[in-house]
Amino acid sequence: MLEENKKLVRRYYELVAGDLTGIEELVTADFVDHHFPPDTPAGPAGVRQFFRQFIPTFFSDLRIEIDFLLAEGDRVDCHFVALFKHTGELGGIAAKGNQLRVPAISTFRIVGNQLAEAWEIYDSGDMLRQMQAQSAG
């Protein structure tokens, strides 16, 4: 069961960095990711909105590299790095095309072989520093 839960999280990150085909099979109808903006709908529609509307407003070329997964009971922690390019103004910071590398940890709660809830932490200060740095190009 724990290995299946890890596979579920791994598959989620494959889909959100891809075309999201099959996301309905991975998340519950009332899935909530607590780091999405407050007006994001629950379920697959919210995942689509975040990764197809919100993220592309500010970033492009999203890649996710998973370092490792830890599973216990109905929870999976995923330690990963998000890699993307800053391509839209965010928080008053103009896009310079900087390539960002943002380590993060997500925790997922699993119900009935689907993701039901998620939380994420990342170093937002370091991400802002990377966004403000002079572009390499």
Side-chain angles (χ1 to χ4, degrees):
M1 178 64 96
L2 296 180
E3 288 306 313
E4 290 304 314
N5 289 350
K6 288 181 186 180
K7 286 180 186 176
L8 182 62
V9 170
R10 201 174 283 284
R11 182 72 182 128
Y12 174 81
Y13 280 119
E14 289 170 5
L15 290 183
V16 299
D19 68 7
L20 290 168
T21 298
I23 196 66
E24 298 83 6
E25 298 166 17
L26 297 185
V27 301
T28 62
D30 59 351
F31 172 81
V32 174
D33 190 317
H34 296 282
H35 92 283
F36 288 178
D39 60 346
T40 305
V47 176
R48 279 199 171 82
Q49 180 176 310
F50 185 76
F51 286 101
R52 291 295 168 250
Q53 294 173 19
F54 181 79
I55 291 291
T57 301
F58 311 108
F59 307 109
S60 66
D61 305 325
L62 173 65
R63 283 191 358 250
I64 296 172
E65 297 177 355
I66 294 175
D67 293 325
F68 62 93
L69 299 156
L70 300 170
E72 183 173 328
D74 66 348
R75 309 286 169 131
V76 175
D77 284 348
C78 181
H79 296 241
F80 67 96
V81 175
L83 303 150
F84 44 87
K85 188 180 288 189
H86 179 208
T87 53
E89 182 181 330
L90 176 62
I93 301 171
K96 299 176 189 170
N98 292 356
Q99 185 67 39
L100 307 181
R101 181 183 188 285
V102 181
I105 301 170
S106 288
T107 298
F108 291 89
R109 184 174 63 86
I110 298 168
V111 173
N113 298 317
Q114 289 185 303
L115 304 174
E117 201 169 10
W119 300 262
E120 185 173 286
I121 58 172
Y122 65 97
D123 187 343
S124 58
D126 185 56
M127 185 176 99
L128 290 173
R129 181 194 58 74
Q130 292 178 60
M131 289 168 52
Q132 292 170 333
Q134 293 300 320
S135 75

